[in-house]
Amino acid sequence: MQRKTLIMDEQQMRRSVTRMAHEIIERNGGVADVALVGICRRGEPLARMLAESIERVEGTRVPVGIVDISFYRDDLPRMKEPRLNRTDIPFDVTGKTVVLVDDVLYTGRTVRAAMEALLDVGRAKRIQLAVLIDRGHRELPIRADFVGKNIPTATTEFIRVSMEGIDGETNVWLCDR
């Protein structure tokens, strides 16, 4: 993978997350029944960033969970060895508006797997989707409700989202494979 163009630095990412937090609050008429669930791996720190932004605006801490989609992927047979993470949703999703959070929306297959995993945990009143980057090229009819930035890409390109706690830096790059 070769870095090609810096799409967002840390400050730009934080501004996008803050805007998305405001959109979540507005679309849901507050956050009384809202919970965030980050898709492993980079969806988790993004969900936490969203929760912090929402708390700064609303004064209310929304619950945050993590969902592991390893065994829900439809490309599992092609994968050598699935990387197992953990699902940790320490609240009841029943009756809540659950905002699934991920770094990049591409084909829609990750989101489909995350919705299946979430439905195994409970029956949310509503599921919404927040992504930092939407790069197009959908294979499934999935659309994000909240988008940090739309970046049309070629199928030969790759979006690399780096998060401090995982990668040692926070930014988004357009890369060549």
CSV table of all heavy atoms in Angstrom, one decimal, residues 20-81:
chain,number,residue,atom,x,y,z
A,20,MET,N,-21.0,15.1,12.7
A,20,MET,CA,-21.9,13.9,12.7
A,20,MET,C,-22.6,13.7,14.0
A,20,MET,O,-23.8,13.3,14.0
A,20,MET,CB,-21.0,12.6,12.4
A,20,MET,CG,-20.6,12.6,10.9
A,20,MET,SD,-19.3,11.3,10.5
A,20,MET,CE,-19.6,10.0,11.5
A,21,ALA,N,-22.0,14.1,15.1
A,21,ALA,CA,-22.6,14.0,16.4
A,21,ALA,C,-23.8,14.9,16.5
A,21,ALA,O,-24.9,14.5,17.0
A,21,ALA,CB,-21.6,14.4,17.5
A,22,HIS,N,-23.7,16.1,16.0
A,22,HIS,CA,-24.8,17.1,15.9
A,22,HIS,C,-25.9,16.5,15.0
A,22,HIS,O,-27.1,16.6,15.4
A,22,HIS,CB,-24.3,18.4,15.3
A,22,HIS,CG,-23.6,19.3,16.3
A,22,HIS,ND1,-24.3,20.1,17.2
A,22,HIS,CD2,-22.3,19.4,16.6
A,22,HIS,CE1,-23.4,20.7,18.0
A,22,HIS,NE2,-22.2,20.3,17.6
A,23,GLU,N,-25.6,15.9,13.9
A,23,GLU,CA,-26.6,15.3,13.0
A,23,GLU,C,-27.3,14.1,13.7
A,23,GLU,O,-28.5,14.0,13.6
A,23,GLU,CB,-26.0,14.8,11.8
A,23,GLU,CG,-25.5,15.9,10.9
A,23,GLU,CD,-24.7,15.4,9.7
A,23,GLU,OE1,-24.5,14.2,9.5
A,23,GLU,OE2,-24.2,16.3,8.9
A,24,ILE,N,-26.6,13.3,14.5
A,24,ILE,CA,-27.2,12.2,15.2
A,24,ILE,C,-28.2,12.8,16.3
A,24,ILE,O,-29.3,12.3,16.4
A,24,ILE,CB,-26.2,11.3,15.9
A,24,ILE,CG1,-25.4,10.5,14.9
A,24,ILE,CG2,-26.8,10.4,17.0
A,24,ILE,CD1,-24.1,9.9,15.4
A,25,ILE,N,-27.8,13.8,17.0
A,25,ILE,CA,-28.7,14.4,18.0
A,25,ILE,C,-29.9,15.0,17.3
A,25,ILE,O,-31.0,14.7,17.8
A,25,ILE,CB,-27.9,15.5,18.8
A,25,ILE,CG1,-26.8,14.9,19.6
A,25,ILE,CG2,-28.9,16.4,19.6
A,25,ILE,CD1,-25.7,16.0,20.0
A,26,GLU,N,-29.7,15.7,16.2
A,26,GLU,CA,-30.8,16.4,15.6
A,26,GLU,C,-31.8,15.3,15.0
A,26,GLU,O,-33.0,15.4,15.2
A,26,GLU,CB,-30.4,17.3,14.5
A,26,GLU,CG,-31.5,18.0,13.8
A,26,GLU,CD,-31.1,19.3,13.2
A,26,GLU,OE1,-30.2,19.9,13.7
A,26,GLU,OE2,-31.8,19.8,12.3
A,27,ARG,N,-31.3,14.4,14.3
A,27,ARG,CA,-32.1,13.4,13.6
A,27,ARG,C,-33.0,12.6,14.6
A,27,ARG,O,-34.1,12.1,14.3
A,27,ARG,CB,-31.3,12.4,12.8
A,27,ARG,CG,-32.0,11.2,12.2
A,27,ARG,CD,-32.2,11.1,10.7
A,27,ARG,NE,-31.4,11.8,9.8
A,27,ARG,CZ,-30.5,11.3,9.0
A,27,ARG,NH1,-30.2,10.1,9.0
A,27,ARG,NH2,-29.8,12.1,8.2
A,28,ASN,N,-32.4,12.4,15.8
A,28,ASN,CA,-33.1,11.5,16.8
A,28,ASN,C,-33.8,12.3,17.9
A,28,ASN,O,-34.3,11.8,18.8
A,28,ASN,CB,-32.1,10.5,17.4
A,28,ASN,CG,-31.6,9.5,16.4
A,28,ASN,OD1,-32.4,8.7,15.9
A,28,ASN,ND2,-30.4,9.6,16.0
A,29,GLY,N,-33.8,13.6,17.7
A,29,GLY,CA,-34.5,14.5,18.7
A,29,GLY,C,-33.9,14.4,20.1
A,29,GLY,O,-34.6,14.4,21.1
A,30,GLY,N,-32.6,14.3,20.1
A,30,GLY,CA,-31.9,14.1,21.4
A,30,GLY,C,-31.2,12.7,21.4
A,30,GLY,O,-31.2,12.1,20.3
A,31,VAL,N,-30.8,12.3,22.5
A,31,VAL,CA,-30.1,11.0,22.6
A,31,VAL,C,-30.6,10.1,23.7
A,31,VAL,O,-29.9,9.2,24.1
A,31,VAL,CB,-28.5,11.2,22.8
A,31,VAL,CG1,-27.9,11.8,21.5
A,31,VAL,CG2,-28.2,12.1,24.0
A,32,ALA,N,-31.8,10.4,24.1
A,32,ALA,CA,-32.4,9.6,25.3
A,32,ALA,C,-32.3,8.1,25.0
A,32,ALA,O,-32.0,7.3,25.9
A,32,ALA,CB,-33.8,10.0,25.5
A,33,ASP,N,-32.7,7.6,23.8
A,33,ASP,CA,-32.7,6.2,23.5
A,33,ASP,C,-31.6,5.8,22.5
A,33,ASP,O,-31.8,4.8,21.7
A,33,ASP,CB,-34.1,5.7,23.1
A,33,ASP,CG,-35.0,5.8,24.2
A,33,ASP,OD1,-34.6,5.4,25.4
A,33,ASP,OD2,-36.2,6.2,24.0
A,34,VAL,N,-30.5,6.6,22.4
A,34,VAL,CA,-29.5,6.3,21.4
A,34,VAL,C,-28.3,5.6,22.0
A,34,VAL,O,-27.9,5.9,23.1
A,34,VAL,CB,-29.0,7.6,20.7
A,34,VAL,CG1,-27.9,7.4,19.8
A,34,VAL,CG2,-30.2,8.3,20.0
A,35,ALA,N,-27.8,4.6,21.3
A,35,ALA,CA,-26.6,3.9,21.7
A,35,ALA,C,-25.7,3.8,20.5
A,35,ALA,O,-26.2,3.8,19.4
A,35,ALA,CB,-26.9,2.6,22.3
A,36,LEU,N,-24.4,3.8,20.7
A,36,LEU,CA,-23.4,3.7,19.6
A,36,LEU,C,-22.7,2.3,19.7
A,36,LEU,O,-22.4,1.9,20.8
A,36,LEU,CB,-22.3,4.8,19.7
A,36,LEU,CG,-22.8,6.2,19.7
A,36,LEU,CD1,-21.7,7.2,20.0
A,36,LEU,CD2,-23.6,6.6,18.5
A,37,VAL,N,-22.6,1.7,18.6
A,37,VAL,CA,-21.9,0.4,18.5
A,37,VAL,C,-20.8,0.5,17.4
A,37,VAL,O,-21.2,0.6,16.2
A,37,VAL,CB,-22.8,-0.8,18.3
A,37,VAL,CG1,-22.1,-2.1,18.1
A,37,VAL,CG2,-23.8,-0.9,19.4
A,38,GLY,N,-19.6,0.5,17.8
A,38,GLY,CA,-18.5,0.5,16.8
A,38,GLY,C,-18.2,-0.9,16.3
A,38,GLY,O,-18.2,-1.9,17.0
A,39,ILE,N,-17.9,-1.0,15.0
A,39,ILE,CA,-17.6,-2.2,14.3
A,39,ILE,C,-16.1,-2.4,14.5
A,39,ILE,O,-15.3,-1.5,14.2
A,39,ILE,CB,-18.0,-2.2,12.8
A,39,ILE,CG1,-19.5,-2.0,12.7
A,39,ILE,CG2,-17.5,-3.5,12.2
A,39,ILE,CD1,-20.0,-1.8,11.2
A,40,CYS,N,-15.7,-3.5,15.1
A,40,CYS,CA,-14.2,-3.8,15.3
A,40,CYS,C,-13.5,-3.6,14.0
A,40,CYS,O,-13.9,-4.0,12.9
A,40,CYS,CB,-14.0,-5.2,15.8
A,40,CYS,SG,-14.3,-5.4,17.5
A,41,ARG,N,-12.5,-3.0,13.9
A,41,ARG,CA,-11.5,-2.4,14.8
A,41,ARG,C,-11.7,-0.9,14.9
A,41,ARG,O,-11.8,-0.3,15.9
A,41,ARG,CB,-10.1,-2.8,14.4
A,41,ARG,CG,-9.8,-4.2,14.8
A,41,ARG,CD,-8.4,-4.5,14.8
A,41,ARG,NE,-7.4,-3.5,14.9
A,41,ARG,CZ,-6.3,-3.5,15.7
A,41,ARG,NH1,-6.0,-4.6,16.3
A,41,ARG,NH2,-5.5,-2.6,15.7
A,42,ARG,N,-11.6,-0.2,13.8
A,42,ARG,CA,-11.6,1.2,13.8
A,42,ARG,C,-12.9,1.9,14.0
A,42,ARG,O,-13.0,3.1,14.3
A,42,ARG,CB,-10.9,1.8,12.5
A,42,ARG,CG,-9.4,1.5,12.6
A,42,ARG,CD,-8.6,1.7,11.4
A,42,ARG,NE,-7.2,1.3,11.6
A,42,ARG,CZ,-6.8,0.1,11.5
A,42,ARG,NH1,-7.6,-0.9,11.3
A,42,ARG,NH2,-5.5,-0.2,11.7
A,43,GLY,N,-14.0,1.2,14.0
A,43,GLY,CA,-15.3,1.7,14.3
A,43,GLY,C,-15.4,2.0,15.8
A,43,GLY,O,-16.1,2.9,16.3
A,44,GLU,N,-14.6,1.2,16.6
A,44,GLU,CA,-14.7,1.4,18.1
A,44,GLU,C,-14.2,2.8,18.5
A,44,GLU,O,-14.9,3.5,19.2
A,44,GLU,CB,-13.9,0.3,18.8
A,44,GLU,CG,-13.8,0.5,20.3
A,44,GLU,CD,-12.9,-0.5,21.0
A,44,GLU,OE1,-12.4,-1.4,20.3
A,44,GLU,OE2,-12.8,-0.4,22.2
A,45,PRO,N,-12.9,3.2,18.1
A,45,PRO,CA,-12.5,4.5,18.5
A,45,PRO,C,-13.3,5.6,17.9
A,45,PRO,O,-13.5,6.7,18.6
A,45,PRO,CB,-11.0,4.6,18.1
A,45,PRO,CG,-10.8,3.5,17.1
A,45,PRO,CD,-11.9,2.4,17.4
A,46,LEU,N,-13.9,5.4,16.7
A,46,LEU,CA,-14.7,6.4,16.2
A,46,LEU,C,-16.0,6.6,17.0
A,46,LEU,O,-16.5,7.7,17.2
A,46,LEU,CB,-15.0,6.1,14.7
A,46,LEU,CG,-13.9,6.4,13.7
A,46,LEU,CD1,-14.2,5.8,12.4
A,46,LEU,CD2,-13.7,7.9,13.6
A,47,ALA,N,-16.6,5.4,17.4
A,47,ALA,CA,-17.8,5.5,18.2
A,47,ALA,C,-17.5,6.2,19.6
A,47,ALA,O,-18.3,7.0,20.0
A,47,ALA,CB,-18.3,4.1,18.5
A,48,ARG,N,-16.3,6.0,20.1
A,48,ARG,CA,-16.0,6.7,21.4
A,48,ARG,C,-15.8,8.2,21.1
A,48,ARG,O,-16.2,9.0,22.0
A,48,ARG,CB,-14.7,6.1,22.0
A,48,ARG,CG,-15.0,4.6,22.4
A,48,ARG,CD,-14.0,4.1,23.4
A,48,ARG,NE,-14.2,2.6,23.6
A,48,ARG,CZ,-15.1,2.1,24.2
A,48,ARG,NH1,-16.1,2.9,24.8
A,48,ARG,NH2,-15.3,0.8,24.4
A,49,MET,N,-15.2,8.6,20.0
A,49,MET,CA,-15.1,10.0,19.6
A,49,MET,C,-16.5,10.6,19.5
A,49,MET,O,-16.7,11.7,19.9
A,49,MET,CB,-14.3,10.2,18.3
A,49,MET,CG,-12.8,9.9,18.5
A,49,MET,SD,-11.9,9.9,16.9
A,49,MET,CE,-12.1,11.7,16.4
A,50,LEU,N,-17.4,9.9,18.8
A,50,LEU,CA,-18.8,10.4,18.7
A,50,LEU,C,-19.4,10.6,20.0
A,50,LEU,O,-20.1,11.6,20.3
A,50,LEU,CB,-19.6,9.4,17.8
A,50,LEU,CG,-19.5,9.6,16.3
A,50,LEU,CD1,-20.2,8.5,15.6
A,50,LEU,CD2,-20.2,10.9,15.9
A,51,ALA,N,-19.3,9.6,20.9
A,51,ALA,CA,-19.9,9.7,22.2
A,51,ALA,C,-19.3,10.9,23.0
A,51,ALA,O,-20.1,11.6,23.7
A,51,ALA,CB,-19.6,8.4,23.0
A,52,GLU,N,-18.1,11.2,22.9
A,52,GLU,CA,-17.5,12.3,23.6
A,52,GLU,C,-18.1,13.6,23.0
A,52,GLU,O,-18.4,14.5,23.8
A,52,GLU,CB,-16.0,12.3,23.4
A,52,GLU,CG,-15.3,11.2,24.2
A,52,GLU,CD,-13.8,11.0,23.9
A,52,GLU,OE1,-13.3,11.8,23.1
A,52,GLU,OE2,-13.2,10.1,24.4
A,53,SER,N,-18.2,13.7,21.7
A,53,SER,CA,-18.8,14.9,21.0
A,53,SER,C,-20.2,15.1,21.5
A,53,SER,O,-20.7,16.2,21.7
A,53,SER,CB,-18.7,14.8,19.5
A,53,SER,OG,-17.3,14.9,19.1
A,54,ILE,N,-21.0,14.0,21.5
A,54,ILE,CA,-22.4,14.1,21.9
A,54,ILE,C,-22.5,14.5,23.3
A,54,ILE,O,-23.3,15.4,23.7
A,54,ILE,CB,-23.1,12.7,21.7
A,54,ILE,CG1,-23.3,12.4,20.2
A,54,ILE,CG2,-24.4,12.7,22.4
A,54,ILE,CD1,-23.7,11.0,19.9
A,55,GLU,N,-21.6,14.0,24.2
A,55,GLU,CA,-21.6,14.4,25.6
A,55,GLU,C,-21.3,15.9,25.8
A,55,GLU,O,-21.9,16.6,26.6
A,55,GLU,CB,-20.6,13.6,26.4
A,55,GLU,CG,-20.7,13.8,27.9
A,55,GLU,CD,-19.8,12.9,28.7
A,55,GLU,OE1,-19.0,12.2,28.2
A,55,GLU,OE2,-20.1,12.9,29.9
A,56,ARG,N,-20.4,16.4,25.0
A,56,ARG,CA,-20.0,17.8,25.1
A,56,ARG,C,-21.3,18.7,24.7
A,56,ARG,O,-21.5,19.8,25.3
A,56,ARG,CB,-18.9,18.2,24.1
A,56,ARG,CG,-17.5,17.9,24.7
A,56,ARG,CD,-16.4,18.5,24.0
A,56,ARG,NE,-16.2,18.0,22.6
A,56,ARG,CZ,-15.6,16.9,22.2
A,56,ARG,NH1,-15.0,16.2,23.1
A,56,ARG,NH2,-15.5,16.6,21.0
A,57,VAL,N,-22.0,18.3,23.7
A,57,VAL,CA,-23.2,19.0,23.3
A,57,VAL,C,-24.4,18.8,24.2
A,57,VAL,O,-25.0,19.8,24.6
A,57,VAL,CB,-23.6,18.6,21.8
A,57,VAL,CG1,-24.8,19.3,21.4
A,57,VAL,CG2,-22.4,19.0,20.9
A,58,GLU,N,-24.7,17.6,24.5
A,58,GLU,CA,-26.0,17.3,25.2
A,58,GLU,C,-25.8,17.1,26.7
A,58,GLU,O,-26.8,17.1,27.4
A,58,GLU,CB,-26.5,15.9,24.7
A,58,GLU,CG,-27.1,16.0,23.3
A,58,GLU,CD,-28.4,16.8,23.3
A,58,GLU,OE1,-29.4,16.3,23.7
A,58,GLU,OE2,-28.4,17.9,22.7
A,59,GLY,N,-24.6,17.0,27.2
A,59,GLY,CA,-24.3,16.8,28.6
A,59,GLY,C,-24.7,15.4,29.1
A,59,GLY,O,-24.9,15.1,30.2
A,60,THR,N,-25.0,14.5,28.1
A,60,THR,CA,-25.4,13.1,28.4
A,60,THR,C,-24.4,12.1,27.7
A,60,THR,O,-24.1,12.3,26.5
A,60,THR,CB,-26.8,12.8,27.8
A,60,THR,OG1,-27.7,13.8,28.4
A,60,THR,CG2,-27.3,11.4,28.1
A,61,ARG,N,-24.0,11.2,28.5
A,61,ARG,CA,-23.1,10.1,27.9
A,61,ARG,C,-23.9,9.0,27.3
A,61,ARG,O,-24.7,8.4,28.0
A,61,ARG,CB,-22.2,9.6,29.0
A,61,ARG,CG,-21.2,8.6,28.6
A,61,ARG,CD,-20.1,9.3,27.9
A,61,ARG,NE,-19.0,8.3,27.6
A,61,ARG,CZ,-18.0,8.7,26.8
A,61,ARG,NH1,-17.8,9.9,26.3
A,61,ARG,NH2,-17.0,7.8,26.6
A,62,VAL,N,-23.8,8.8,26.0
A,62,VAL,CA,-24.5,7.7,25.4
A,62,VAL,C,-23.7,6.4,25.5
A,62,VAL,O,-22.5,6.4,25.6
A,62,VAL,CB,-24.8,7.9,23.9
A,62,VAL,CG1,-25.7,9.1,23.7
A,62,VAL,CG2,-23.5,8.1,23.1
A,63,PRO,N,-24.4,5.3,25.7
A,63,PRO,CA,-23.7,4.0,25.8
A,63,PRO,C,-22.9,3.6,24.5
A,63,PRO,O,-23.4,3.9,23.4
A,63,PRO,CB,-24.8,3.0,26.2
A,63,PRO,CG,-26.1,3.6,25.9
A,63,PRO,CD,-25.8,5.1,25.8
A,64,VAL,N,-21.8,3.0,24.7
A,64,VAL,CA,-21.0,2.6,23.6
A,64,VAL,C,-20.6,1.1,23.7
A,64,VAL,O,-20.2,0.7,24.7
A,64,VAL,CB,-19.6,3.4,23.5
A,64,VAL,CG1,-18.8,2.9,22.3
A,64,VAL,CG2,-19.9,4.9,23.4
A,65,GLY,N,-20.8,0.4,22.6
A,65,GLY,CA,-20.5,-1.0,22.5
A,65,GLY,C,-19.6,-1.3,21.3
A,65,GLY,O,-19.3,-0.4,20.5
A,66,ILE,N,-19.2,-2.5,21.3
A,66,ILE,CA,-18.3,-3.0,20.2
A,66,ILE,C,-18.9,-4.3,19.6
A,66,ILE,O,-19.3,-5.1,20.4
A,66,ILE,CB,-16.9,-3.3,20.7
A,66,ILE,CG1,-16.3,-2.1,21.5
A,66,ILE,CG2,-15.9,-3.7,19.5
A,66,ILE,CD1,-15.2,-2.5,22.4
A,67,VAL,N,-18.9,-4.4,18.3
A,67,VAL,CA,-19.4,-5.6,17.7
A,67,VAL,C,-18.3,-6.2,16.8
A,67,VAL,O,-17.6,-5.5,16.0
A,67,VAL,CB,-20.7,-5.4,16.9
A,67,VAL,CG1,-20.5,-4.5,15.7
A,67,VAL,CG2,-21.3,-6.7,16.5
A,68,ASP,N,-18.1,-7.5,17.0
A,68,ASP,CA,-17.1,-8.3,16.2
A,68,ASP,C,-17.9,-9.0,15.1
A,68,ASP,O,-18.8,-9.7,15.5
A,68,ASP,CB,-16.4,-9.3,17.1
A,68,ASP,CG,-15.4,-10.1,16.3
A,68,ASP,OD1,-15.1,-9.8,15.1
A,68,ASP,OD2,-15.0,-11.1,16.9
A,69,ILE,N,-17.5,-8.8,13.9
A,69,ILE,CA,-18.3,-9.5,12.8
A,69,ILE,C,-17.6,-10.7,12.2
A,69,ILE,O,-18.0,-11.2,11.2
A,69,ILE,CB,-18.6,-8.4,11.7
A,69,ILE,CG1,-17.3,-7.9,11.1
A,69,ILE,CG2,-19.4,-7.3,12.2
A,69,ILE,CD1,-17.5,-7.2,9.7
A,70,SER,N,-16.5,-11.1,12.8
A,70,SER,CA,-15.6,-12.2,12.2
A,70,SER,C,-16.4,-13.4,11.7
A,70,SER,O,-16.2,-13.8,10.6
A,70,SER,CB,-14.6,-12.7,13.3
A,70,SER,OG,-13.8,-11.6,13.7
A,71,PHE,N,-17.4,-13.9,12.5
A,71,PHE,CA,-18.1,-15.1,12.0
A,71,PHE,C,-19.4,-14.7,11.3
A,71,PHE,O,-20.2,-15.6,11.0
A,71,PHE,CB,-18.4,-15.9,13.3
A,71,PHE,CG,-17.2,-16.6,13.8
A,71,PHE,CD1,-16.7,-16.3,15.0
A,71,PHE,CD2,-16.4,-17.5,13.0
A,71,PHE,CE1,-15.5,-16.9,15.5
A,71,PHE,CE2,-15.3,-18.1,13.5
A,71,PHE,CZ,-14.8,-17.8,14.7
A,72,TYR,N,-19.6,-13.5,11.0
A,72,TYR,CA,-20.8,-13.1,10.2
A,72,TYR,C,-20.5,-12.7,8.8
A,72,TYR,O,-21.3,-12.4,8.0
A,72,TYR,CB,-21.5,-11.9,10.9
A,72,TYR,CG,-22.1,-12.3,12.2
A,72,TYR,CD1,-21.3,-12.2,13.4
A,72,TYR,CD2,-23.4,-12.8,12.3
A,72,TYR,CE1,-21.9,-12.6,14.6
A,72,TYR,CE2,-24.0,-13.1,13.5
A,72,TYR,CZ,-23.2,-13.1,14.7
A,72,TYR,OH,-23.7,-13.4,15.9
A,73,ARG,N,-19.2,-12.7,8.5
A,73,ARG,CA,-18.7,-12.2,7.1
A,73,ARG,C,-19.1,-13.3,6.1
A,73,ARG,O,-19.0,-14.5,6.3
A,73,ARG,CB,-17.2,-12.0,7.1
A,73,ARG,CG,-16.8,-10.9,8.1
A,73,ARG,CD,-15.3,-10.7,8.0
A,73,ARG,NE,-15.0,-10.3,6.7
A,73,ARG,CZ,-14.8,-9.0,6.3
A,73,ARG,NH1,-14.9,-8.1,7.2
A,73,ARG,NH2,-14.5,-8.7,5.1
A,74,ASP,N,-19.5,-12.8,4.9
A,74,ASP,CA,-19.8,-13.8,3.8
A,74,ASP,C,-18.6,-14.2,3.0
A,74,ASP,O,-18.6,-15.0,2.1
A,74,ASP,CB,-20.9,-13.3,2.9
A,74,ASP,CG,-20.6,-11.9,2.2
A,74,ASP,OD1,-19.4,-11.5,2.4
A,74,ASP,OD2,-21.5,-11.4,1.6
A,75,ASP,N,-17.4,-13.6,3.4
A,75,ASP,CA,-16.2,-14.0,2.7
A,75,ASP,C,-15.3,-14.8,3.6
A,75,ASP,O,-14.1,-15.1,3.3
A,75,ASP,CB,-15.4,-12.7,2.2
A,75,ASP,CG,-15.0,-11.8,3.4
A,75,ASP,OD1,-15.4,-12.0,4.5
A,75,ASP,OD2,-14.3,-10.8,3.1
A,76,LEU,N,-15.9,-15.4,4.7
A,76,LEU,CA,-15.1,-16.2,5.6
A,76,LEU,C,-14.4,-17.3,5.0
A,76,LEU,O,-13.2,-17.6,5.3
A,76,LEU,CB,-16.0,-16.7,6.7
A,76,LEU,CG,-15.4,-17.3,8.0
A,76,LEU,CD1,-14.5,-16.2,8.6
A,76,LEU,CD2,-16.4,-17.7,9.0
A,77,PRO,N,-15.0,-18.1,4.0
A,77,PRO,CA,-14.2,-19.2,3.4
A,77,PRO,C,-13.0,-18.8,2.7
A,77,PRO,O,-12.0,-19.5,2.6
A,77,PRO,CB,-15.2,-19.8,2.5
A,77,PRO,CG,-16.6,-19.4,3.0
A,77,PRO,CD,-16.4,-18.1,3.6
A,78,ARG,N,-13.0,-17.5,2.2
A,78,ARG,CA,-11.8,-17.0,1.4
A,78,ARG,C,-10.7,-16.6,2.4
A,78,ARG,O,-9.5,-16.5,2.0
A,78,ARG,CB,-12.2,-15.9,0.5
A,78,ARG,CG,-13.0,-16.3,-0.6
A,78,ARG,CD,-13.2,-15.2,-1.6
A,78,ARG,NE,-13.2,-13.9,-1.0
A,78,ARG,CZ,-14.1,-13.0,-1.3
A,78,ARG,NH1,-15.0,-13.2,-2.2
A,78,ARG,NH2,-14.1,-11.8,-0.8
A,79,MET,N,-11.1,-16.2,3.6
A,79,MET,CA,-10.1,-15.7,4.6
A,79,MET,C,-9.3,-16.9,5.1
A,79,MET,O,-9.8,-17.9,5.4
A,79,MET,CB,-10.8,-15.0,5.7
A,79,MET,CG,-11.5,-13.7,5.3
A,79,MET,SD,-12.5,-13.0,6.6
A,79,MET,CE,-11.2,-12.4,7.6
A,80,LYS,N,-8.0,-16.7,5.3
A,80,LYS,CA,-7.1,-17.7,5.8
A,80,LYS,C,-7.5,-18.1,7.2
A,80,LYS,O,-7.8,-19.2,7.5
A,80,LYS,CB,-5.7,-17.3,5.7
A,80,LYS,CG,-5.2,-17.2,4.3
A,80,LYS,CD,-3.7,-16.7,4.3
A,80,LYS,CE,-3.3,-16.5,2.9
A,80,LYS,NZ,-2.2,-15.6,2.7
A,81,GLU,N,-7.5,-17.1,8.1
A,81,GLU,CA,-7.9,-17.3,9.5
A,81,GLU,C,-8.5,-16.1,10.0
A,81,GLU,O,-7.9,-15.0,10.0
A,81,GLU,CB,-6.6,-17.5,10.3
A,81,GLU,CG,-6.7,-18.5,11.4
A,81,GLU,CD,-5.4,-18.7,12.1
A,81,GLU,OE1,-4.5,-19.4,11.5
A,81,GLU,OE2,-5.2,-18.2,13.2
